[in-house]
Amino acid sequence: MLKTEKPTRLPKKEADAQKNSIYIKKGGNGGARENAGRPAFEPTDVDRKQVEALAGYGVPFEQIAVLIHDGISLDTLRTYFASELIRGKAKANAQIGKGIYQKAMGGDTTAMIWWSKTQMRWAETQKHEVTGADGAPLEFREIKRVIVKT
């Protein structure tokens, strides 16, 4: 599940103090002066395609965020590119699955084994039996409990 930012409100006293302050924010994303701070982030179609591709390649989100524009925060990445992050991974998984399926159907033994274990829940099992001398049952003559102080 993707995290989204919750709106926050200032307590009434602080909100009133800000309204009456000479430092009224009029534009941009920070600072006391008008249009101070970084401009609001606007994703482009190129950004969306890049994020989707990088997510599909398995690049960690932190590294994807660094590669968009001059770097964006993880919260910004998740807010503006949530569907691209999910879609990129899904498309890559589908392509890999298709390739493995085609190899298995073509007779590739390794692909067939992998498919049966991961998709069909087949598993190799080993049975271990412990016996006494010459296959006889184990015999216990004495069972002791020992407590060791450390």
Side-chain angles (χ1 to χ4, degrees):
M1 188 165 162
L2 297 174
K3 209 167 85 173
T4 57
E5 291 183 25
K6 293 182 182 177
T8 56
R9 259 190 215 168
L10 290 173
K12 182 144 176 52
K13 281 185 178 179
E14 288 181 44
D16 290 342
Q18 270 196 350
K19 284 179 191 173
N20 297 328
S21 171
I22 59 169
Y23 299 107
I24 297 174
K25 185 176 171 182
K26 295 187 180 186
N29 283 336
R33 297 177 323 276
E34 185 175 340
N35 295 320
R38 203 174 196 181
F41 179 74
E42 291 292 332
T44 65
D45 289 341
V46 172
D47 294 334
R48 293 190 184 287
K49 287 177 184 173
Q50 183 181 16
V51 168
E52 186 175 309
L54 292 169
Y57 303 149
V59 176
F61 290 2
E62 295 83 8
Q63 293 177 15
I64 294 173
V66 169
L67 296 172
I68 303 302
H69 290 275
D70 292 331
I72 58 174
S73 72
L74 280 174
D75 287 340
T76 301
L77 179 73
R78 289 184 180 112
T79 299
Y80 288 94
F81 300 101
S83 61
E84 288 81 2
L85 293 169
I86 294 166
R87 190 180 313 113
K89 188 73 164 179
K91 283 181 178 180
N93 288 344
Q95 286 297 325
I96 298 296
K98 179 181 175 183
I100 291 170
Y101 173 80
Q102 288 173 337
K103 282 187 168 220
M105 294 304 287
D108 183 316
T109 305
T110 303
M112 293 167 92
I113 292 168
W114 184 88
W115 185 273
S116 66
K117 287 181 177 181
T118 61
Q119 301 302 309
M120 299 168 64
R121 307 280 191 252
W122 288 13
E124 297 176 25
T125 57
Q126 295 180 357
K127 187 175 181 180
H128 298 279
E129 292 184 20
V130 180
T131 61
D134 299 320
L138 289 175
E139 288 185 31
F140 298 97
R141 293 194 178 106
E142 183 179 345
I143 299 175
K144 289 184 182 180
R145 176 189 245 176
V146 178
I147 300 172
V148 178
K149 293 183 181 179
T150 55

